[in-house]
Amino acid sequence: QVQLVESGGGSVQAGGSLRLTCATSGYTPSTNFMGWFRQVPGKEREGVAAIYTPNDYTYYADSAKDRFAISQDRAKNTVYLQMNSLKPDDTAMYYCAATIATLRPLSSESYQNWGQGTQVTVSA
């Protein structure tokens, strides 16, 4: 099992940047995919970005591919989401998730382990 803790959220103006961090612990070698998801109250949880940890292959939602970047630091057992050119529509609770294997890295149904979330608020 892997435990996940998100941090780095906050309030920023449109056009600003944030870097989210997902700290992992536990049996991390069993985790092959790490994903970032976001959710607004009353809406479906949306996949933002994911990474295949053995070789750093990345996946992005259309809304994120030009502005966001997911990366990992194996030595620190952490995964990051660099968010640039933030928009008010990016406002959401952001969650980190982990799974062993999936054909759909950006689907929330693919993940078993979730963090508690970190809030991102972007003002116009």
Side-chain angles (χ1 to χ4, degrees), residues 50-107:
I51 185 168
Y52 181 62
T53 59
N55 65 7
D56 292 317
Y57 194 89
T58 56
Y59 310 80
Y60 294 97
D62 289 342
S63 62
K65 62 184 179 182
D66 296 325
R67 300 179 296 126
F68 296 0
I70 188 171
S71 61
Q72 66 175 333
D73 186 331
R74 292 184 178 88
K76 296 182 178 180
N77 294 314
T78 55
V79 176
Y80 304 96
L81 183 67
Q82 179 67 46
M83 304 188 295
N84 300 320
S85 302
L86 284 163
K87 306 174 181 179
D89 285 348
D90 295 319
T91 296
M93 183 73 74
Y94 283 72
Y95 299 91
C96 181
T99 192
I100 296 174
T102 181
L103 296 177
R104 301 181 63 190
L106 295 176
S107 172

Side-chain angles (χ1 to χ4, degrees), residues 8-11 18 20 39 41 90-94 117-121:
S11 299
L18 284 173
L20 306 184
Q39 188 169 27
D90 295 319
T91 296
M93 183 73 74
Y94 283 72
T118 185
Q119 179 68 39
V120 171
T121 302

Side-chain angles (χ1 to χ4, degrees), residues 16-72:
S17 299
L18 284 173
R19 188 184 72 166
L20 306 184
T21 298
C22 177
T24 70
S25 62
Y27 193 59
T28 53
S30 66
T31 299
N32 291 318
F33 290 89
M34 298 290 297
W36 284 100
F37 295 79
R38 64 188 184 187
Q39 188 169 27
V40 176
K43 297 182 66 178
E44 295 291 318
R45 188 165 296 188
E46 174 188 20
V48 177
I51 185 168
Y52 181 62
T53 59
N55 65 7
D56 292 317
Y57 194 89
T58 56
Y59 310 80
Y60 294 97
D62 289 342
S63 62
K65 62 184 179 182
D66 296 325
R67 300 179 296 126
F68 296 0
I70 188 171
S71 61
Q72 66 175 333

